[in-house]
Structure formats: C-alpha cells, structure tokens
C-alpha cells in the first residue's frame, strides 16, 4: 500500500496516477512530431526534418515499452473494476499512439526526400490536414487529462467531417499533377502515400478517443463505435 497526504492510496490508484502522467507525455511527444511536420511545411524548410521527428519517435518507442511494462505489472495485482478499465484503455491505446508516430515519421521522411525534386506547392498540400490533425491531438490530450467526453467526441467528429474530405482533396491534387506531369510518377505516388498516412493517423486518434469515451461513460468495450 502506498500513502499520500490526506489518506491512503492503493497500488492501483498509484499506478493510475503514474500512467496518466506517462500517457500524457506520450501524447505530447506525438504532438511534437506533428508540430515539427507542420512547422517545416509552413516554412517550406525540410532539411533535417526526418532526423527531428525520428528522435521523437525513438523517445516515443521507449515510453511505449515503459507504459506497457507498467500496465502488465498492474494487471498482476488486485485492481478494482474502474482501475482495470483504465489500465486496459491505456494498454490498448499504446499501439495506436505508436502508429501515429510511425505515420508522422513517414510523412516527415517523404517531405524531406521530395523537397529538392518538386515544387513547394506539392509539399505544402499536406499542411491543411496536418493542421487539423494537430488540433485533434490537442483535443484528445485535453479529453484524456480532464476525462472530457465532449472533447473526445470532437476528435471523432473532426475525423468524420473533415479528415476524409482533406484526404480526398490531397488525392485529387496528386492525380491532377500526375496528369499534368506524367513523367513525375514518383512524386505523385509519394504524395498519395503521405495522404494515406495522414488519413490513417486520424483513424488511430479516433480509436483512442472512442476508448476514452467508453471509459468515462462506463461502457463495455463492445459498446464502442
């Protein structure tokens, strides 16, 4: 049993407090990755972008393993139903945040590789979608910190109403450029890959938001969308 001023705190409660801080840090790291992509796209300066995002991604991977180990240790001890639900939400969301980082790194790498070989406008097509995803990630972090269901639902709404539309817009732009410059297939394919990566990134944020909604509302896992 661990203790804090004003009363006792169970091992499960102590684990929840620790994991809340570490999960928020993991969300912060993924936000830093997207922010690096957004900043580079906004300034049209891509040199060193993959290295910056890659360093954040490696830190995210280390933190993912730490959180996973902490969850497994907690599962071995006594947990109340609410504590178990919290730990399961964290444990099941780790892969989603890890994939968010992977996709952000892939986009950063493509942007830096393409920068010397294509027009700035092609590269900056990612900016509206990245801006939207940054906002979604900020809302998700707030929703988790405050257990705010409405903020979690806002993440889902933005994905449904805006991410898919911007994804389709990016695809149309890449197809238009391929039609105009048929010899530039590599750039068009990379633009398509970046669009798909950002769309999938949004899906993973929604997965976490759905689990958070279920946790706060006390829904069983099967009650999620």
């Amino acid at each position: 049993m661990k203790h804090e001023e004003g009363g006792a705190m169970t091992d499960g409660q102590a684990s929840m407090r620790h994991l809340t801080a570490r999960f928020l840090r993991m969300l912060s790291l993924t936000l830093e990755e997207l922010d690096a992509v957004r900043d580079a796209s906004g300034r049209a300066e891509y040199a060193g972008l993959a290295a910056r995002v890659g360093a954040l991604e490696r830190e995210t991977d280390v933190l993912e393993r730490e959180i996973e180990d902490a969850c497994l240790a907690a599962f071995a001890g006594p947990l109340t139903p609410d504590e178990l639900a919290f730990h399961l939400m964290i444990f099941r969301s780790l892969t989603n945040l890890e994939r968010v980082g992977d996709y952000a790194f892939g986009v950063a790498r493509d942007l830096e590789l393409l920068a010397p070989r294509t027009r700035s406008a092609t590269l900056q097509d990612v900016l509206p979608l990245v801006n939207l995803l940054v906002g979604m990630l900020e809302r998700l972090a707030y929703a988790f910190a405050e257990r705010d269901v409405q903020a979690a639902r806002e993440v889902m709404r933005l994905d449904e109403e805006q991410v898919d539309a911007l994804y389709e817009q990016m695809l149309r732009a890449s197809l238009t450029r391929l039609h105009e410059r048929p010899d530039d297939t590599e750039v068009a394919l990379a633009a398509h890959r970046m669009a798909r990566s950002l769309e999938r990134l949004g899906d993973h944020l929604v997965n976490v938001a759905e689990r958070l909604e279920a946790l706060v509302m006390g829904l069983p896992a099967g009650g999620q969308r």
Side-chain angles (χ1 to χ4, degrees):
M1 184 83 69
K2 303 183 190 308
H3 296 272
E4 64 177 350
E5 185 178 350
M9 181 168 56
T10 67
D11 288 338
Q13 290 169 333
S15 179
M16 286 178 64
R17 174 176 290 189
H18 171 73
L19 285 172
T20 294
R22 302 312 284 157
F23 195 74
L24 282 171
R25 175 56 182 158
M26 194 170 180
L27 285 166
S28 176
L29 286 169
T30 55
L31 181 58
E32 287 182 55
E33 291 182 59
L34 279 178
D35 261 335
V37 173
R38 178 172 65 172
D39 181 62
S41 298
R43 293 184 294 107
E45 296 177 7
Y46 303 98
L49 176 60
R52 291 196 298 276
V53 176
L56 292 166
E57 176 62 5
R58 288 189 294 276
E59 188 175 349
T60 299
D61 289 343
V62 171
L63 188 53
E64 179 195 15
R65 290 190 290 272
E66 176 193 329
I67 295 173
E68 183 178 53
D69 288 345
C71 286
L72 292 173
F75 291 145
L79 295 173
T80 67
D82 286 346
E83 291 166 356
L84 177 60
F86 172 85
H87 284 80
L88 285 172
M89 179 264 165
I90 296 291
F91 188 74
R92 291 169 176 166
S93 297
L94 288 176
T95 299
N96 294 117
L97 292 190
E98 189 271 335
R99 293 300 293 150
V100 166
D102 286 347
Y103 285 127
F105 175 70
V107 171
R109 181 184 56 208
D110 282 337
L111 285 171
E112 186 170 358
L113 287 173
L114 291 176
R117 311 202 318 265
T118 190
R119 294 170 294 180
S120 177
T122 303
L123 301 174
Q124 291 181 322
D125 280 345
V126 306
L127 194 52
L129 188 45
V130 171
N131 281 333
L132 177 59
L133 292 167
V134 166
M136 288 171 61
L137 189 47
E138 289 172 341
R139 293 304 292 164
L140 181 59
Y142 175 82
F144 176 74
E146 300 297 328
R147 302 297 191 268
D148 190 309
V149 171
Q150 292 307 315
R153 290 172 179 166
E154 180 73 1
V155 173
M156 303 176 211
R157 185 191 66 79
L158 289 170
D159 182 76
E160 182 178 355
E161 296 180 3
Q162 297 187 39
V163 169
D164 289 345
L166 288 173
Y167 167 61
E168 294 293 336
Q169 182 178 311
M170 283 186 69
L171 291 184
R172 287 195 299 271
S174 67
L175 290 173
T176 297
R177 290 194 180 89
L178 183 59
H179 178 73
E180 294 172 350
R181 304 176 67 181
D183 294 335
D184 214 357
T185 304
E186 185 178 357
V187 170
L189 289 175
H192 181 97
R193 183 169 60 247
M194 287 190 289
R196 180 59 177 162
S197 292
L198 292 171
E199 190 269 340
R200 288 295 296 141
L201 194 158
D203 288 343
H204 285 287
L205 296 181
V206 168
N207 287 341
V208 179
E210 288 176 339
R211 290 194 193 96
L212 181 58
E213 178 192 39
L215 176 71
V216 176
M217 300 297 292
L219 299 173
Q224 297 182 54
R225 302 173 192 176

